[in-house]
Amino acid sequence: MNTQQTAQLKSSANGFARRRSERESGMRLENKHQSGKLNQNRSMNAIGTSKAPVYESPSRDRLVYLSTCLIGHPVEVRLKNGSIYSGTCHTTNVEQEFAIILKMARMTKDASYRGSKQEYVMKAPSKTLIIPGKEVAEVIAKDVPVTVAGQSNELQNERHEDILIDSSISHSRHVELDRELSPWVPDEDDPQCPGLENIFDGPWNRGWDQFETNKMLFGVKSTFDEELYTTRLEKGPRMRELEREATRIAREIEGEDTEDLHLAEERGINLGEDFDGDEEVRFSSVIRGRGLDDSGYDEDEDILLDKRNTETFGDVPASSGAKTDHLHRGTSNDSAGALLTSSVDEPQCSQSSNGSEFFQSNTYDHCRQQADDLPCKSSTSDCNGRSLYGNPEILRVAQGHDSINASIETKTVAVDGKLSKSNESQSAENSQTAGFDRGGLLADAPSVTSSVKEMPPTEPEVVYVKADGESSGVSACRQPGTFASGSDHAGATSASSHPAVSPSSSLIGSSSSENSTLNPHAKEFKFNPNAKSFTPSHSSPVRPPSPVSDGSYYFTPNVTTLPQMHGMPVGIGMGPSYSGHQHVLFNPQVAPLRSPQPYFHPSGPQYGQQMNLGHPRQVLYMPGYQPVSSSQHL
Amino acid sequence: MEGSISNSSSNEDFAVGCMLSIKTTLGDEFDGQVITFDRPSNILVLQEGSKPGPRRNIRFLKTNYIKEFSFLGQSEDPLDIKKCYIDLQSLQDREELALRQAEADAERIGVGVTTEAQGIFDALSKTLPVRWDKTSIVVMNEVRVSSPYLPENVIGGTPAANDRVKKVLELERRRLQTRP
């Protein structure tokens, strides 16, 4: 066996090939009339002169044709000595003997080898293997495409790495497929409901138990227990009703009209004969909602939230300095606003008015009005003897803590006196208002608000407010009418007018006379020194993060005096977990108040808390307020 | 039959379509239908299998190696001349593709290794990246398995990899034993 694999031989193989092609072309020219078609598409247009003799026979043509078909195809060459080589056919020469050149050939059977199969040693494949025709006994090739159909299919397949997609099979232009392909049509059944389902109708009716069968056939005992996988239905007396109800509901749901294509199809709602859409649309594709965009926060949501905020807090003209946005004053929130304002202004007022007149009805009204239009500038003037229009005051307070300090001090002083006086009376009236911080409230807008929150049930506070520390003030304060817009009022006023403590009697009287909504039977607030500070457990979903949240904080000016007062919330000011800035007066003596009083944390959720009460409060923000902590006013 | 085939072209034609049962000197036996017979080269081209279609199993047999044959019947020409076209370009492409494939396959075959070793290599390659290095199997570029490819011959690599290869090797050997 002389198989050689040298470059030289390779070139000679090429020579073979060249000669062969020449011959082929020669043959083509001459055999055109005979079997022209056989040679027609040969792209090889070698130079026409053929020197070798031409065999004019169709059989020869066929041979050549078929051997050409082998090119690139895996073949098996059996030699006359019995050895077998496998490889890719590169070219053949059938002119005389069937010579063949294989690429990447391997000897799959070695005739000379006598050993057992186990020990057959593999040899490396030869890149090119030339087998002389004399040696060749037989060439076997499987799945050779001999016609056009076979060829293109094969290439397609190989190109796509043997992935045959359905459309290429079904729409094949190659008629010569194994069988005639025709599109599937359903049986006489309704095309919407293929009859496949009939087979498994009512398995419980079929009378075939798979477990029994299995046991019988294979002796396998089943441990299947349906209850493991489903909830047991209690078949009690009410079963019928429940079933009926359930089926009713089910029918209702199933009978519902739906926009969804697929649901409609499931329910058997006919779409109409001329439905525009092919099978894919009808049965398979996912329907994307029109205009649905759940990519996240929408403009609309934004607006919606803003709107809600506005409703809640009232419009805030931008002009009013720092974070006036957050100076909310809903129309219904007057009390709160007033309260706040008053509370904030307290110090101022006290300062200015020296406790002579804290509240005046007209001022209150005025405050209210002014609260409504934010840009409250003339706060100082207002403050003087007025019930503080809190906003501007607050703002100013925010910006200048010094003033607050001063005011606080003054106020503290002022309050002290009053407080002592009103202690008893107030204690009686003290409503529970957990967290109602008399002292704190005064200067502390948020606390006021919080107290306001608590207030509703406790009206005695209001009475307080009207306390006649300053008779005039008291009387002024005593505006249940105005206050009565809500218990808040009472609360607010009471808070704000804290310094203006009046004998309970007067308060009570005023409250009752004015049909206040205060609850005279409310429990007295008892301060719990061990209480933890309040931290909101969740944030309001409605509330967008508001920049003003920073501004909320407590103002607890008069901490020291409070201990004397029974049940006075003391030193509420500090929430434990403020996000840093804006810590106002901190009273180290007093443990932070317990949760009932919602602390205003400088974070959005606080407002949510408030909102939850259903009383829109006016919250005063003191955005730029610098912590006064340096001065522990006690 | 060879002798009876005359030189005239017309006579040659009749052989086409004959169903023959042939025994070759090499020990092959098969049935086939004559596609063509080329007298000058004594090559008989037969089509095996009866299934119609574009792809056929074809044998080129030199008549000198026919030990005996018998005539089974006469059928029509299995080759439809009208549909016989060749696209050389596609042939060449096909060849290239096949070569690439074959080269890839060749990588997987060890040179000078026993069939048993090759079997082990093939089994390992199903789940692990392996390659040949002379007569050693290199797994994951770390672990070497040298002849005789027993679990003891697993060397190298991290302990984890080593153990894994050992385990796979044991399993494969066991499987190869039960299935000859």
Side-chain angles (χ1 to χ4, degrees):
Chain A
M1 177 162 55
N2 24 338
T3 58
Q4 305 155 36
Q5 19 170 339
T6 60
Q8 181 202 357
L9 283 173
K10 184 156 192 254
S11 58
S12 63
N14 287 343
F16 278 159
R18 234 181 300 121
R19 269 179 34 220
R20 175 165 157 264
S21 67
E22 278 175 8
R23 288 220 184 92
E24 282 172 354
S25 56
M27 271 171 23
R28 189 185 333 145
L29 290 173
E30 313 208 10
N31 291 344
K32 225 184 274 197
H33 56 283
Q34 269 191 8
S35 47
K37 279 211 185 122
L38 196 59
N39 307 326
Q40 252 169 20
N41 287 355
R42 301 255 180 116
S43 52
M44 265 203 309
N45 283 318
I47 333 94
T49 55
S50 68
K51 295 149 190 150
V54 172
Y55 298 90
E56 282 184 30
S57 63
S59 48
R60 168 52 60 110
D61 287 348
R62 285 187 175 211
L63 180 62
V64 172
Y65 171 76
L66 287 169
S67 54
T68 316
C69 286
L70 288 181
I71 293 178
H73 206 78
V75 297
E76 214 178 76
V77 181
R78 291 166 191 231
L79 303 186
K80 75 179 176 195
N81 63 5
S83 305
I84 301 179
Y85 283 90
S86 297
T88 312
C89 172
H90 178 66
T91 186
T92 63
N93 177 7
V94 291
E95 288 305 309
Q96 299 189 323
E97 303 275 352
F98 200 126
I100 188 166
I101 298 177
L102 296 178
K103 293 236 168 181
M104 301 306 289
R106 263 176 46 225
M107 179 188 276
T108 47
K109 182 171 165 202
D110 191 351
S112 57
Y113 193 76
R114 296 282 176 257
S116 67
K117 195 171 174 220
Q118 279 281 351
E119 295 160 27
Y120 180 64
V121 178
M122 314 286 278
K123 280 199 235 160
S126 334
K127 273 246 141 99
T128 310
L129 185 64
I130 303 171
I131 307 179
K134 281 199 284 290
E135 306 294 328
V136 173
E138 196 177 2
V139 175
I140 303 172
K142 294 213 169 8
D143 285 338
V144 180
V146 293
T147 59
V148 180
Q151 281 171 21
S152 39
N153 253 356
E154 173 183 342
L155 283 170
Q156 250 180 17
N157 289 350
E158 284 170 25
R159 288 230 176 87
H160 300 284
E161 285 158 288
D162 290 342
I163 294 174
L164 259 184
I165 55 176
D166 209 43
S167 40
S168 76
I169 294 177
S170 56
H171 293 142
S172 174
R173 284 158 226 83
H174 316 305
V175 186
E176 273 220 35
L177 296 176
D178 286 351
R179 62 199 135 98
E180 182 65 24
L181 295 178
S182 61
W184 175 78
V185 285
D187 308 333
E188 298 79 48
D189 301 355
D190 178 0
Q192 304 289 339
C193 316
L196 293 173
E197 296 158 8
N198 301 335
I199 301 174
F200 295 106
D201 265 348
W204 50 90
N205 288 338
R206 266 189 291 152
W208 184 68
D209 183 352
Q210 56 175 332
F211 301 114
E212 283 309 314
T213 310
N214 216 17
K215 183 153 160 207
M216 184 181 59
L217 287 178
F218 306 107
V220 175
K221 270 204 106 208
S222 155
T223 56
F224 175 76
D225 175 21
E226 191 186 51
E227 307 290 338
L228 289 175
Y229 303 99
T230 179
T231 317
R232 187 188 171 76
L233 273 185
E234 297 299 330
K235 299 220 187 263
R238 295 203 54 222
M239 198 59 207
R240 280 284 140 97
E241 297 173 28
L242 293 173
E243 262 180 46
R244 254 184 284 126
E245 186 65 19
T247 41
R248 180 186 71 78
I249 297 175
R251 234 176 290 128
E252 224 176 77
I253 295 176
E254 285 167 7
E256 253 174 23
D257 208 10
T258 173
E259 289 267 325
D260 188 337
L261 256 185
H262 301 321
L263 274 180
E265 192 249 330
E266 236 176 60
R267 293 181 188 163
I269 299 171
N270 231 328
L271 284 173
E273 286 314 310
D274 57 344
F275 177 65
D276 156 45
D278 60 1
E279 277 180 336
E280 184 191 353
V281 174
R282 258 201 289 168
F283 300 115
S284 154
S285 64
V286 174
I287 298 176
R288 311 262 175 212
R290 303 156 209 72
L292 235 89
D293 176 22
D294 49 3
S295 61
Y297 206 62
D298 262 358
E299 286 295 326
D300 294 342
E301 278 178 23
D302 230 13
I303 298 172
L304 184 65
L305 287 169
D306 280 354
K307 191 160 69 90
R308 291 217 202 129
N309 289 341
T310 315
E311 280 168 4
T312 311
F313 299 111
D315 264 325
V316 175
S319 56
S320 54
K323 324 258 173 124
T324 44
D325 305 352
H326 303 279
L327 289 177
H328 304 286
R329 351 136 252 121
T331 37
S332 51
N333 299 352
D334 313 342
S335 54
L339 177 66
L340 291 178
T341 61
S342 54
S343 62
V344 174
D345 287 3
E346 269 294 31
Q348 247 74 356
C349 285
S350 52
Q351 190 176 17
S352 53
S353 59
N354 268 342
S356 47
E357 278 182 3
F358 284 87
F359 292 99
Q360 316 201 346
S361 52
N362 46 345
T363 60
Y364 175 75
D365 286 337
H366 179 71
C367 278
R368 254 182 21 150
Q369 277 174 1
Q370 296 201 335
D372 285 347
D373 42 90
L374 248 224
C376 13
K377 318 104 185 185
S378 57
S379 26
T380 11
S381 53
D382 290 348
C383 186
N384 292 347
R386 295 242 207 144
S387 34
L388 359 179
Y389 185 125
N391 295 345
E393 286 310 316
I394 294 178
L395 288 181
R396 278 190 300 140
V397 165
Q399 270 116 32
H401 52 277
D402 297 337
S403 60
I404 292 182
N405 274 350
S407 63
I408 290 176
E409 278 163 7
T410 349
K411 187 166 144 152
T412 307
V413 172
V415 170
D416 276 356
K418 302 213 173 43
L419 284 183
S420 44
K421 249 205 287 185
S422 56
N423 238 347
E424 307 75 33
S425 52
Q426 288 181 352
S427 54
E429 265 103 54
N430 257 354
S431 34
Q432 40 74 110
T433 337
F436 180 74
D437 174 11
R438 304 288 164 71
L441 285 176
L442 287 181
D444 194 349
S447 63
V448 167
T449 320
S450 57
S451 63
V452 171
K453 196 189 319 197
E454 306 297 331
M455 268 338 258
T458 65
E459 275 330 290
E461 296 296 356
V462 175
V463 180
Y464 236 158
V465 172
K466 301 176 188 197
D468 15 317
E470 325 297 319
S471 48
S472 48
V474 172
S475 50
C477 293
R478 205 185 311 173
Q479 296 283 335
T482 46
F483 290 114
S485 52
S487 43
D488 323 296
H489 291 275
T493 29
S494 55
S496 43
S497 63
H498 182 71
V501 178
S502 58
S504 48
S505 53
S506 57
L507 291 176
I508 293 173
S510 56
S511 66
S512 53
S513 63
E514 274 134 4
N515 297 330
S516 106
T517 54
L518 290 181
N519 174 13
H521 306 297
K523 250 186 8 181
E524 177 181 309
F525 170 80
K526 285 196 173 26
F527 175 61
N528 174 8
N530 299 325
K532 290 196 313 228
S533 66
F534 170 78
T535 316
S537 58
H538 65 278
S539 47
S540 158
V542 180
R543 203 66 62 129
S546 93
V548 180
S549 59
D550 302 343
S552 58
Y553 53 93
Y554 284 105
F555 212 153
T556 58
N558 38 358
V559 185
T560 41
T561 59
L562 295 190
Q564 317 164 2
M565 311 199 46
H566 176 58
M568 284 296 283
V570 178
I572 291 67
M574 287 342 223
S577 57
Y578 278 166
S579 49
H581 59 293
Q582 276 124 353
H583 279 233
V584 194
L585 299 180
F586 176 66
N587 180 10
Q589 299 175 343
V590 183
L593 264 191
R594 197 189 345 182
S595 46
Q597 173 181 27
Y599 276 70
F600 278 84
H601 290 244
S603 56
Q606 280 295 351
Y607 308 117
Q609 292 287 324
Q610 262 207 326
M611 294 319 294
N612 291 342
L613 288 184
H615 290 283
R617 303 289 144 98
Q618 301 191 20
V619 180
L620 282 179
Y621 292 73
M622 309 210 191
Y625 184 63
Q626 307 301 318
V628 202
S629 45
S630 54
S631 59
Q632 304 279 337
H633 301 281
L634 305 179
Chain B
M1 190 88 142
E2 297 153 32
S4 65
I5 295 176
S6 62
N7 280 347
S8 65
S9 46
S10 57
N11 279 354
E12 284 170 15
D13 293 340
F14 93 92
V16 174
C18 289
M19 315 271 287
L20 305 173
S21 174
I22 294 180
K23 278 208 183 105
T24 69
T25 55
L26 306 170
D28 271 349
E29 283 185 43
F30 58 90
D31 296 344
Q33 194 178 15
V34 174
I35 301 182
T36 187
F37 171 63
D38 182 53
R39 208 164 38 75
S41 58
N42 270 343
I43 296 179
L44 182 65
V45 184
L46 297 130
Q47 170 184 297
E48 266 185 284
S50 55
K51 68 171 170 96
R55 294 172 169 245
R56 328 262 171 94
N57 293 350
I58 303 207
R59 279 182 185 248
F60 295 73
L61 182 60
K62 285 217 184 128
T63 48
N64 0 359
Y65 299 98
I66 296 179
K67 196 156 71 172
E68 61 179 89
F69 70 94
S70 53
F71 180 71
L72 296 176
Q74 178 75 43
S75 171
E76 44 188 41
D77 185 4
L79 201 62
D80 185 357
I81 291 289
K82 285 197 272 317
K83 295 209 178 112
C84 290
Y85 296 88
I86 289 186
D87 178 12
L88 275 174
Q89 185 55 48
S90 63
L91 285 181
Q92 278 159 3
D93 293 342
R94 179 175 75 178
E95 185 184 0
E96 266 173 62
L97 195 65
L99 287 180
R100 263 183 276 139
Q101 186 67 40
E103 272 164 33
D105 288 339
E107 289 288 314
R108 308 180 64 251
I109 296 174
V111 178
V113 297
T114 59
T115 35
E116 183 207 32
Q118 185 61 46
I120 290 175
F121 181 92
D122 290 338
L124 283 177
S125 72
K126 283 187 205 153
T127 51
L128 298 164
V130 287
R131 64 177 170 86
W132 279 110
D133 180 17
K134 297 287 186 308
T135 57
S136 300
I137 304 176
V138 180
V139 186
M140 296 184 288
N141 272 333
E142 301 180 334
V143 183
R144 304 183 73 90
V145 188
S146 37
S147 155
Y149 313 104
L150 297 168
E152 299 86 61
N153 305 116
V154 179
I155 312 159
T158 62
N162 199 307
D163 285 343
R164 184 167 160 207
V165 175
K166 266 202 189 100
K167 187 161 293 174
V168 176
L169 181 61
E170 281 170 23
L171 290 174
E172 291 301 341
R173 273 189 167 273
R174 219 173 297 156
R175 201 150 47 87
L176 286 172
Q177 275 161 17
T178 59
R179 268 190 308 126

